[in-house]
Amino acid sequence: MATALITGGTSGIGLGFARRYAADGHDLVLVARDQARLDRTATDLHDRYRVGVDTISADLATPDGCAIVEKHLASTAVDVLVNNAGHSLPQPYPYNPLADEERMLDLLVRAPLRLTHAAIPGMTARGEGAILNIASVAGLVPAGTYGAAKDWLIHFSESLRLDLAPRGVRVLAVCPGFTHTDAPKASTVPAWIWLSVDRVVDQAMKDLRRGKPRSVTGWHFKLYAAAAQHAPRRLAARMARSRTPKE
């Protein structure tokens, strides 16, 4: 039976992917910091979908936490890696503490870099696998350190996709906009703009099957992404400062 390892798999988009892969018959490995929440989520998914669910308690913003998950990826056959763990910060740079900025970059950049590096040898040896990196449409515009980290993840994914396609491994950058998760919500954003987690996951799974490099959900965010890609950089910067979608 195939296995999917999902970071940040106890809530939000990560939990959405966990439910989808469990419904499709995949065993799961869920990674998060809170062991009690991991245990509750694992029990719920096992009882609902009758699949195996293992858990790893690890803080992926630290080298030691990454090493725990890397060891599992190197020693166990994992068919799908979903790099989802992450968060944003309440203030734009440079108004957050520098330590918070560094921790966010460690989680959004270094952790996917290290976990992907650990997963690739097994996937390429088997000639199949999938890596989904949860980025954001914020990565398509100049949007501070959060947007810069997501931009890195998008370009990392697209480069990796070209390198690994001949070896049977698919790579997708998932770029959600405003999505209903457990994270604090922007109260000024109209209700019609928000996406559901299931809608983001549905679109990502379709785009993965189609071999697309990026997955953007919703006509409004597709327009946003197209405008960000083709607009002059000065205009794109204004778009980012007026309203930057985050997952």
Side-chain angles (χ1 to χ4, degrees):
M1 184 177 290
T3 299
L5 186 148
I6 303 168
T7 69
T10 60
S11 64
I13 292 174
L15 180 56
F17 275 105
R19 289 171 175 156
R20 173 55 57 84
Y21 276 110
D24 289 345
H26 286 62
D27 287 334
L28 302 174
V29 180
L30 304 181
V31 181
R33 289 181 298 172
D34 187 335
Q35 185 63 59
R37 190 168 188 176
L38 280 167
D39 292 341
R40 291 193 300 270
T41 305
T43 298
D44 177 68
L45 292 170
H46 170 73
D47 291 348
R48 183 177 304 184
Y49 300 105
R50 312 312 299 177
V51 297
V53 185
D54 292 329
T55 65
I56 300 175
S57 176
D59 183 353
L60 295 179
T62 68
D64 289 345
C66 286
I68 294 170
V69 184
E70 290 170 62
K71 183 177 179 180
H72 184 91
L73 288 165
S75 62
T76 306
V78 171
D79 305 277
V80 179
L81 170 63
V82 181
N83 284 310
N84 167 76
H87 63 81
S88 59
L89 293 174
Q91 301 295 326
Y93 182 86
Y95 302 107
N96 300 295
L98 183 58
D100 291 350
E101 293 280 358
E102 291 181 318
R103 181 177 176 82
M104 182 183 71
L105 290 178
D106 284 340
L107 189 57
L108 297 183
V109 174
R110 187 184 63 187
L113 177 75
R114 292 185 57 162
L115 300 193
T116 300
H117 190 272
I120 286 173
M123 291 183 180
T124 55
R126 294 187 296 274
E128 61 181 357
I131 299 168
L132 292 87
N133 291 320
I134 311 306
S136 171
V137 293
L140 303 176
V141 294
T145 46
Y146 177 86
K150 294 299 189 178
D151 178 54
W152 180 90
L153 192 57
I154 292 168
H155 284 84
F156 171 66
S157 303
E158 294 182 347
S159 174
L160 203 60
R161 170 179 171 269
L162 297 175
D163 293 339
L164 296 181
R167 306 188 68 178
V169 180
R170 298 170 293 164
V171 183
L172 177 69
V174 182
C175 303
F178 290 110
T179 304
H180 288 292
T181 67
D182 295 338
K185 295 175 174 56
S187 59
T188 59
V189 178
W192 65 268
I193 289 179
W194 290 87
L195 303 169
S196 69
V197 165
D198 287 344
R199 189 176 173 191
V200 171
V201 172
D202 287 345
Q203 186 66 56
M205 299 298 278
K206 290 177 183 177
D207 291 335
L208 183 66
R209 289 193 298 270
R210 294 166 179 167
K212 292 189 174 183
R214 301 178 185 179
S215 178
V216 178
T217 303
W219 64 266
H220 50 312
F221 287 119
K222 291 181 189 294
L223 287 175
Y224 184 96
Q229 182 175 358
H230 298 292
R233 298 310 292 168
R234 180 179 296 180
L235 178 58
R238 289 179 180 174
M239 290 171 58
R241 281 158 176 74
S242 64
R243 183 169 291 166
T244 300
K246 298 175 184 177
E247 70 272 24

